[in-house]
Amino acid sequence: MAERRRGGYRIEREVLDELSVEEVAEKTDSKVPLKERVRESVRCSGSRAKRCVFGCVPVLSWLPRYNFREWAVGDLVSGISVGIMHLPQGMAYALLAAVPPVFGLYSSFYPILVYFIFGTSRHISVGTYAVMSVMIGGVTERLAPDSDFLLWNNETNGSVLDVVGRDAERVKVAAAVTFLSGVFQILLGLVQFGFVVTYLSEPLVRGYTTGAAIHVIVSQLKYTFGLSPTRFSGPFSLLYTVLEICSLLPETNIGTLVVSAVSVIALIGAKEVNTLLARKLPVPIPVELITIIIATVISWQCNLDTQFGVEVVGEIPSGLQPPVLPAASIFGQVIGDAFALSVVGYGIAISLGRIFALKYGYKVDSNQELVALGLSNSVGGMFQCFAISCSMSRTMVASGLSAVVILIILLKLGELFQQLPKAVLAAIIFVNLHGMMKQFMDIRSLWRSNRVDMIVWVMTFILTLLFNPDLGLAASIAFSMLTVIFRTQLPRYSILGQVPGTDIYRPVEEYKLVKQIPGLVIFRSSATVYFANAEMYVDALAEKSGIDIAKILSIKKKQQAKQLRREKREAKRQRKEMKEAKREEGEMEEPQNGQTDEVNVEEGLQPGPALPSAIILDLSPVNFLDTVGVKTLRNICRDYGDVGVAVFLSGCQDCVVENLERGGFFSDKVTKAAIFSTVHDAVLHCQRDASTETTQEMKGTYF
């Protein structure tokens, strides 16, 4: 390995404390009055109005600059392929949402048009998404269970399920929760609340989507085996469903199972061929579309539904339906589910949008994305769609073209797929989830890189399995926040030493050549100081510095009391001698006070001179101080000052200095002269004044 070349340099300047820095840099009050800020925010101009319009309706900014000559052909091919992909996926994910398949096609049409106008990402296309669909399905099956639509049949003397009535009610529920989730997204976007997605870390999202994928797989097993299990809800519903399906396996419909197995094998094989030929083909082969066409033809020719009892899609009406206002009476029952849908849908969309924006060099407006998705869902809810998120495409023009493809299918071709077996749609879902199943590999990589993130991933996965996806998300976010608190509760405390010949300071226990400066204790915590760990900060400082304040002050009080008793005895003895002798006049000889060092070797303590002359608190990792943190630092300065140890602060950010000012840290005795920009400034100050009376006077003056 080539030896690293080191360039020498020298910097000469005065030692600067906070007061000196403010004087040299001429600190000013940069705060803008509230009145001025309000006036600036409401001021209108032509350019500002133009930016506002283009920001709210992004299509107006990029469409006039669209390069038809270079991009039109590629976007046309991409739009057609994406539209073809939406057909099988929309119908399949409608099963997850527990609504008729045609509503999956509606959800692949209306929201796309809305996002085309208001979205800012050029490389995502909204549409049906497995996780969102299964969350919708949990709501629809909870509020419109099969048991509510059983009718008595006099001919068979048994109960018959009113499928038409049930599906109509489930569509109402799905539309209501979708509309409400869109309203939540719009409101969050208008109040600039796009940062809410920062609480969804990547390990949390990947663990959550993996757990939700298990819910998806289990929900489709009934179509794979041709069973009718009982619908369970609440905690452990997934486990109950699996046990129920296992108990019903002897009743499996063989025809349905054969259709499922053949479809899965065919899809996997076709996708592998697609992967091998990816570089040679201009566009991927529409495997799902070909599969459903072949399956529909076979089902139609062989009468799979009547001859073998294979459940098929059923009636798919042609044309579009007029908009209908969602049932407001349902809002109160689905408000929690709607908020969970709004957060999950936005989190997935903005994560993917930012990846493409970074790759292709443009910016995605997180708040406008919230508004765009909110409008897509709210408008879609009025057209009886269910909540959507995003899928990958090429550009937003391709998204618009894919909507045209779906429109053609809805108007003319949809009814051709009425004989499509539902088992084929379940097989499409299974095969499309193989990417999520690969996310189990995250556990191994996170174990090596960050074990706390691995715990977040695993716990999110477990919580999502134990609870429904909506409750699992809430519990996972709460657990993720607890890990943040837990990390601040277990910071790393270090005593710093100087790297020889430099102004660099590192933990002495981690470097062989780093030595602690004699007479100084430089203490640093890896976390900020606030109410949750303030007491731990004080205890760690006492442990690392070896200074037990309580014990020293206790001994000091005992010595003072002992000295007072000795002086009283001496005074009494002298008065007695004066009364007896009465021979000499004049002043009595000054009594010896017998005072020893403030801290002696009693009780295993070292003498006073062994104490450090000063303690430097490195606050460079601290990014804020609450009232408890300020009070803690004030008490440290006072307590250590009482035993003759000066305390200085270093590395304080401007916001920390402001927190100290507001918290009443400074006084006539303690000023900003006790704060230094760097550790080295504080060290030089202590070393310069170590042999002068200035440092001695500063001891004990803190509060």
Side-chain angles (χ1 to χ4, degrees):
M1 183 186 297
E3 184 179 355
R4 180 181 297 176
R5 298 181 61 184
R6 296 181 175 87
Y9 66 93
R10 182 183 299 275
I11 298 176
E12 293 186 3
R13 63 171 175 82
E14 296 181 357
V15 175
L16 299 176
D17 54 38
E18 187 65 23
L19 284 176
S20 302
V21 170
E22 292 183 359
E23 181 180 352
V24 171
E26 296 184 2
K27 183 179 180 181
T28 60
D29 186 5
S30 58
K31 294 182 180 179
V32 180
L34 178 61
K35 182 178 180 180
E36 184 64 27
R37 283 183 289 173
V38 173
R39 183 184 304 168
E40 179 65 23
S41 64
V42 299
R43 189 177 64 181
C44 185
S45 63
S47 59
R48 189 168 187 175
K50 182 179 179 181
R51 288 197 306 269
C52 182
V53 172
F54 285 172
C56 294
V57 190
V59 68
L60 298 178
S61 63
W62 62 262
L63 189 58
R65 300 195 302 268
Y66 183 77
N67 192 330
F68 285 91
R69 179 175 298 179
E70 295 184 7
W71 301 338
V73 175
D75 285 338
L76 178 63
V77 174
S78 177
I80 294 174
S81 62
V82 171
I84 292 173
M85 177 188 66
H86 275 307
L87 171 62
Q89 288 190 356
M91 298 175 67
Y93 293 156
L95 298 183
L96 297 179
V99 296
V102 69
F103 293 95
L105 299 181
Y106 294 155
S107 301
S108 301
F109 173 64
Y110 294 106
I112 291 178
L113 292 180
V114 177
Y115 186 84
F116 173 80
I117 298 172
F118 296 100
T120 61
S121 175
R122 305 173 190 171
H123 292 83
I124 65 172
S125 174
V126 296
T128 54
Y129 185 68
V131 175
M132 305 287 290
S133 300
V134 77
M135 292 176 70
I136 289 286
V139 180
T140 55
E141 292 185 358
R142 185 183 77 236
L143 297 184
D146 291 343
S147 58
D148 291 351
F149 299 91
L150 295 177
L151 302 177
W152 184 259
N153 191 325
N154 293 325
E155 296 181 0
T156 61
N157 290 327
S159 297
V160 178
L161 179 64
D162 181 10
V163 177
V164 176
R166 181 203 63 182
D167 289 347
E169 184 63 24
R170 288 183 175 179
V171 169
K172 290 181 181 179
V173 173
V177 71
T178 297
F179 177 83
L180 192 57
S181 69
V183 171
F184 278 132
Q185 289 174 328
I186 293 173
L187 293 176
L188 292 175
L190 292 178
V191 299
Q192 306 291 299
F193 212 64
F195 69 89
V196 70
V197 75
T198 58
Y199 292 100
L200 300 178
S201 64
E202 183 179 357
L204 186 148
V205 171
R206 293 176 71 86
Y208 175 77
T209 53
T210 306
I214 302 298
H215 279 276
V216 171
I217 291 173
V218 172
S219 69
Q220 295 305 291
L221 291 178
K222 61 182 180 180
Y223 298 113
T224 301
F225 295 98
L227 304 174
S228 299
T230 305
R231 161 71 185 175
F232 297 97
S233 60
F236 306 105
S237 59
L238 185 70
L239 177 61
Y240 297 147
T241 303
V242 172
L243 295 177
E244 175 78 3
I245 290 176
C246 291
S247 66
L248 295 176
L249 284 180
E251 304 175 12
T252 298
N253 185 299
I254 302 302
T256 301
L257 183 60
V258 171
V259 171
S260 299
V262 172
S263 300
V264 169
I265 294 173
L267 285 168
I268 293 176
K271 283 183 176 292
E272 290 297 325
V273 173
N274 227 351
T275 303
L276 294 175
L277 301 178
R279 295 184 178 180
K280 299 180 180 179
L281 298 175
V283 294
I285 300 174
V287 176
E288 290 93 345
L289 179 62
I290 295 174
T291 301
I292 66 172
I293 291 175
I294 295 175
T296 301
V297 172
I298 294 175
S299 176
W300 173 53
Q301 291 293 325
C302 300
N303 295 322
L304 296 181
D305 55 338
T306 57
Q307 294 293 328
F308 301 97
V310 177
E311 188 176 3
V312 296
V313 168
E315 183 181 359
I316 300 179
S318 299
L320 302 176
Q321 295 186 359
V324 179
L325 288 177
S329 59
I330 305 177
F331 288 168
Q333 304 176 63
V334 299
I335 186 170
D337 305 282
F339 186 78
L341 282 167
S342 65
V343 174
V344 173
Y346 172 65
I348 294 169
I350 195 64
S351 299
L352 191 58
R354 285 176 175 172
I355 291 174
F356 282 107
L358 181 63
K359 181 177 180 180
Y360 293 100
Y362 64 93
K363 185 178 180 181
V364 172
D365 187 339
S366 58
N367 293 304
Q368 180 61 27
E369 284 294 294
L370 260 175
V371 174
L373 287 172
L375 289 172
S376 299
N377 279 324
S378 56
V379 172
M382 290 188 289
F383 285 94
Q384 300 178 323
C385 302
F386 54 86
I388 49 86
S389 187
C390 71
S391 60
M392 287 181 289
S393 180
R394 285 189 59 182
T395 69
M396 289 175 57
V397 171
S399 300
L401 292 173
S402 67
V404 175
V405 175
I406 295 297
L407 177 62
I408 296 173
I409 294 172
L410 285 170
L411 294 177
K412 297 295 182 182
L413 305 179
E415 58 186 11
L416 300 178
F417 297 97
Q418 294 181 1
Q419 291 298 314
L420 173 65
K422 290 185 178 180
V424 176
L425 297 179
I428 292 174
I429 293 173
F430 291 150
V431 176
N432 286 341
L433 291 177
H434 78 283
M436 291 188 183
M437 294 298 102
K438 291 180 180 180
Q439 292 179 162
F440 280 108
M441 300 301 295
D442 293 349
I443 299 177
R444 182 179 180 183
S445 60
L446 290 175
W447 174 264
R448 296 176 177 176
S449 59
N450 192 312
R451 296 185 181 180
V452 175
D453 284 344
M454 185 211 69
I455 294 174
V456 171
W457 195 104
V458 173
M459 285 303 301
T460 300
F461 175 76
I462 294 174
L463 291 171
T464 306
L465 291 184
L466 293 180
F467 305 102
N468 289 332
D470 50 352
L471 295 178
L473 176 64
S476 301
I477 293 176
F479 179 80
S480 180
M481 297 299 294
L482 284 177
T483 61
V484 177
I485 298 175
F486 182 74
R487 293 186 201 191
T488 62
Q489 285 284 70
L490 293 177
R492 179 180 298 179
Y493 299 106
S494 307
I495 294 295
L496 305 184
Q498 186 178 22
V499 178
T502 71
D503 60 349
I504 301 172
Y505 294 82
R506 291 290 184 269
V508 294
E509 64 271 13
E510 297 180 8
Y511 297 85
K512 295 181 179 179
L513 297 181
V514 170
K515 302 298 180 183
Q516 188 173 349
I517 297 177
L520 295 179
V521 172
I522 308 173
F523 179 75
R524 183 174 67 189
S525 169
S526 62
T528 192
V529 183
Y530 71 118
F531 70 93
N533 62 6
E535 185 175 352
M536 297 174 59
Y537 187 87
V538 175
D539 295 340
L541 175 59
E543 179 184 354
K544 291 288 186 178
S545 65
I547 303 175
D548 191 336
I549 297 295
K551 200 169 187 179
I552 294 175
L553 292 177
S554 176
I555 294 175
K556 186 175 180 180
K557 290 180 180 179
K558 290 179 180 179
Q559 290 176 340
Q560 291 174 347
K562 185 177 181 180
Q563 178 66 21
L564 182 59
R565 291 194 298 269
R566 182 182 298 130
E567 291 177 353
K568 288 182 178 180
R569 289 196 301 269
E570 183 66 20
K572 185 177 180 181
R573 184 183 63 79
Q574 290 179 357
R575 287 196 300 270
K576 184 177 180 181
E577 290 178 355
M578 288 176 62
K579 290 179 181 180
E580 292 178 354
K582 291 184 181 180
R583 287 184 252 176
E584 297 184 33
E585 293 182 359
E587 294 183 359
M588 296 179 58
E589 215 179 283
E590 285 277 341
Q592 297 293 327
N593 56 19
Q595 187 172 350
T596 60
D597 289 334
E598 287 187 355
V599 183
N600 57 24
V601 294
E602 290 184 280
E603 304 182 27
L605 291 178
Q606 295 298 322
L611 293 175
S613 61
I615 291 178
I616 301 172
L617 303 179
D618 180 15
L619 301 183
S620 54
V622 177
N623 53 18
F624 76 93
L625 287 172
D626 62 359
T627 54
V628 177
V630 174
K631 184 177 180 180
T632 298
L633 294 179
R634 186 169 64 238
N635 292 341
I636 288 174
C637 293
R638 180 196 62 203
D639 294 341
Y640 283 85
D642 288 344
V643 299
V645 180
V647 179
F648 300 96
L649 310 181
S650 68
C652 297
Q653 303 178 38
D654 291 341
C655 58
V656 174
V657 176
E658 184 177 347
N659 293 150
L660 292 173
E661 289 178 329
R662 292 182 176 180
F665 178 82
F666 301 108
S667 64
D668 294 337
K669 295 182 179 180
V670 179
T671 66
K672 292 182 179 179
I675 300 179
F676 294 88
S677 297
T678 67
V679 173
H680 196 57
D681 281 325
V683 169
L684 293 178
H685 172 78
C686 295
Q687 290 178 333
R688 182 185 63 187
D689 294 343
S691 59
T692 64
E693 294 181 357
T694 305
T695 303
Q696 298 299 328
E697 291 175 356
M698 292 182 67
K699 294 181 180 181
T701 62
Y702 289 81
F703 299 94

